Amino acid sequence: MPKIVDREEMQGRILDAAMACFLEQGYHAARMQDVARQAGMAKGTLYLYFQSKEALLLALLRRYFDDIRARIRMIPSPQTLDQFMMGLRLTMPADRLAATRLFFDVLGPGFQDPRAAEIIGGFFAWLADHYAAQFEPLIESGEIRDDLSAQSAAQAVTAMLDGLVIHLAIFGVDQGVFEIRRDAALSLLEVGLKG
């Protein structure tokens, strides 16, 4: 009787192996054969799941952003600006700094692929829409100043926080410095939203 394989589990195993290879060798130097070896399978089996190294990269990007999306969705919708700000702090934990740095070190070389840009851009468009949906009732209730467009404010917040996280991750600050700068940025943001 043939062995039943959990396709999702196998894809996860392959993606973990790909990430390990990309981390060790760099994206461009790693080969599909290296990924297969790391995953403990034949190269032909690997190709049943992923047709190319580019397909692995795109799947890793999707997994990375799906994880962030899932963490953000777990935070209850805020009823106050204070709750919104607390939610932002929860989505920017200092212990994710190394993962962000790794993300750029390992997957950055593949960002030139327009499909990668679509995945990344799609996540940030979703995030801005998510924040805009949270801003609308906060504007109506007077928690956020009413001269702001919910969508424009959400896009600005998304860009500012993305820039902050990227800057701090790339320049390798420690967790304490990250927390101080994150909290300072969020305090300034809160003041700007209150007006």
Side-chain angles (χ1 to χ4, degrees), residues 14-187:
I14 293 167
L15 291 175
D16 290 343
M19 191 65 165
C21 287
F22 295 166
L23 180 59
E24 182 180 319
Q25 302 170 29
Y27 173 74
H28 291 298
R31 300 170 300 158
M32 291 293 275
Q33 180 176 330
D34 300 324
V35 174
R37 186 178 316 111
Q38 179 76 27
M41 65 180 57
K43 191 162 88 170
T45 304
L46 172 62
Y47 279 105
L48 292 174
Y49 293 91
F50 295 97
Q51 295 296 310
S52 65
K53 189 166 63 169
E54 292 77 18
L56 284 169
L57 169 76
L58 297 174
L60 282 167
L61 286 172
R62 281 187 207 96
R63 182 169 79 167
Y64 179 83
F65 286 113
D66 286 349
D67 175 59
I68 296 171
R69 213 179 255 118
R71 284 188 289 121
I72 290 170
R73 284 183 175 137
M74 288 178 14
I75 298 169
S77 289
Q79 303 302 307
T80 65
L81 180 56
D82 287 341
Q83 289 174 354
F84 175 77
M85 299 309 296
M86 182 56 68
L88 288 182
R89 280 182 179 80
L90 292 173
T91 63
M92 299 172 62
D95 65 351
R96 298 287 299 173
L97 201 55
T100 302
R101 189 175 312 114
L102 178 68
F103 172 79
F104 282 96
D105 287 349
V106 175
L107 302 179
F111 287 0
Q112 295 167 347
D113 185 323
R115 297 168 297 176
E118 186 178 320
I119 292 167
I120 297 166
F123 168 77
F124 286 109
W126 172 85
L127 187 58
D129 289 345
H130 178 78
Y131 288 158
Q134 292 183 341
F135 283 174
E136 287 171 1
L138 294 176
I139 290 170
E140 289 174 18
S141 69
E143 285 286 317
I144 293 178
R145 44 191 262 218
D146 64 2
D147 65 324
L148 293 175
S149 150
Q151 188 67 41
S152 295
Q155 289 168 337
V157 167
T158 300
M160 286 188 294
L161 296 180
D162 181 45
L164 175 70
V165 170
I166 290 170
H167 176 84
L168 295 175
I170 289 175
F171 292 104
V173 300
D174 67 30
Q175 287 189 5
V177 171
F178 173 82
E179 289 172 354
I180 290 168
R181 292 183 186 170
R182 176 202 60 201
D183 291 347
L186 291 178
S187 292

